């Protein structure tokens, strides 16, 4: 039992240390540029450009713990674009950390679109939060995993990118 408690305490210290460390100066700018490109691809409807930002090994996990593979995610996005229009995304980078050769970015995404309801298009908006894991590749990044976060909880770290 003591071994388990010590292990949990060590894990907690690592987590606190990861959030306590400062961001690397140029890393935030690079990550913000990556997500600006992501937003631009959505706004222009450039699915090929958007899909090129992902690793073939990509997966996401939603707030309920459901895992979605790259193939499932890509098929879902392709299907959604057939029944929506005027999609726009605004991603705010809240915190960025370099961890063992990967970058973890905590982001908030506001997403606007219109969907057909009966014979009219209805504007919709939702906000999500994610812990995005990025792998440095060819002078930029590729998304390798996404973990959806709760939106009704305060950030548990200093958000260098605003509230």
């Amino acid at each position: 039992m003591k071994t388990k408690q010590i292990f949990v305490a060590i894990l907690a210290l690592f987590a606190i240390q990861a959030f306590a460390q400062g961001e690397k100066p140029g890393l935030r700018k690079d990550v913000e540029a990556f997500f600006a490109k992501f937003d631009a691809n959505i706004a222009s409807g450039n699915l090929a450009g958007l899909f090129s930002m992902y690793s073939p090994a990509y997966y996401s996990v939603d707030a309920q713990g459901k895992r979605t593979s790259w193939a499932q995610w890509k098929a879902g996005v392709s299907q959604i674009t057939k029944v929506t229009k005027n999609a726009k995304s605004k991603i705010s980078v809240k915190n960025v950390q370099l961890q063992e050769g990967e970058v973890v970015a905590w982001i908030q995404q506001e997403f606007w679109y219109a969907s057909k309801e009966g014979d009219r298009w209805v504007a919709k908006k939702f906000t999500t939060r994610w812990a995005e894991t990025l792998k440095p590749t060819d002078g930029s990044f590729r998304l390798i995993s996404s973990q959806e976060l709760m939106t009704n909880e305060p950030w548990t770290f200093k958000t260098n990118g605003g509230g």
Side-chain angles (χ1 to χ4, degrees), residues 38-54:
F38 185 96
D39 288 344
N41 281 326
I42 289 175
S44 67
N46 182 359
L47 286 184
L50 182 67
F51 293 157
S52 74
M53 299 178 80
Y54 289 81

Side-chain angles (χ1 to χ4, degrees), residues 11-22:
L11 285 177
L13 285 173
F14 281 129
I16 291 167
Q17 185 179 24
F19 287 124
Q21 65 180 313

